Amino acid sequence: MIIVVLGSIFAGVATPTESAALGGAGAMVLAVLYRQFSWRMVYDAAKETVKVTAMVFAILLGATAFSMAFTYTGGDYLVEEWMLQLPGEKWGFLIITMLVILILGFFIDFVEICFIIVPIIAPVAEIMGINMTWFAILIAMNLQTSFLTPPFGFSLFYLKGVAPKGVTTQDIYRA
């Protein structure tokens, strides 16, 4: 599976989306080879996929509505003015935004942060002359750190889902 999915991306044969489809097909082939395949399994997987996709679209719809309302009321200009007056100029802006994103990452998912917070702070970063690729990498690294940090730490729950039965959530938190 790893060779099919990552190999197709690294070889330039498929995009990440296409390689995900290859991974799905590969999983079905493996299920047939291990004699675990059933149409019920395919139906359940499709049903769960639709549920997750619907939840993501609901979040995106809400985030877009919030961003539009925030922009139409002039909130983005107020935030921009405030952030441009922070002490330390670029460094003050970077420290404050990374701290806010880290704290928000404890409680909300990356989709909401990317669709609500980033459109507010990205124009300020551009005005300050910050390299946007570097800024995006900082945000991504910051989000990864916050996803591993309690109280919620979404990645901690993903780890719990694949951990052996003897490993508790408390063990993962402490680690």
Side-chain angles (χ1 to χ4, degrees), residues 20-33:
L22 287 173
M28 289 177 66
V29 168
L30 285 175
V32 169
L33 291 174

Side-chain angles (χ1 to χ4, degrees), residues 131-151:
N131 181 314
M132 295 307 287
T133 303
W134 181 73
F135 189 59
I137 291 169
L138 274 178
I139 291 172
M141 295 301 293
N142 195 347
L143 287 173
Q144 289 302 313
T145 302
S146 66
F147 293 157
L148 288 169
T149 307

Side-chain angles (χ1 to χ4, degrees), residues 77-175:
Y77 291 115
L78 292 172
V79 170
E80 185 176 310
E81 284 178 26
W82 178 76
M83 289 190 153
L84 288 173
Q85 296 173 0
L86 289 172
E89 297 175 2
K90 284 182 189 180
W91 292 108
F93 169 76
L94 285 172
I95 290 168
I96 295 291
T97 55
M98 292 303 124
L99 188 62
V100 167
I101 289 172
L102 181 72
I103 292 168
L104 286 174
F106 294 168
F107 304 103
I108 60 177
D109 201 15
F110 76 94
V111 175
E112 293 90 346
I113 293 172
C114 289
F115 276 84
I116 295 173
I117 303 301
V118 173
I120 294 170
I121 61 173
V124 179
E126 269 189 303
I127 289 170
M128 291 186 160
I130 296 171
N131 181 314
M132 295 307 287
T133 303
W134 181 73
F135 189 59
I137 291 169
L138 274 178
I139 291 172
M141 295 301 293
N142 195 347
L143 287 173
Q144 289 302 313
T145 302
S146 66
F147 293 157
L148 288 169
T149 307
F152 294 106
F154 294 104
S155 293
L156 300 174
F157 293 105
Y158 304 147
L159 289 171
K160 175 62 177 141
V162 297
K165 290 186 181 193
V167 178
T168 65
T169 306
Q170 192 73 324
D171 294 333
I172 295 173
Y173 270 143
R174 271 189 258 122

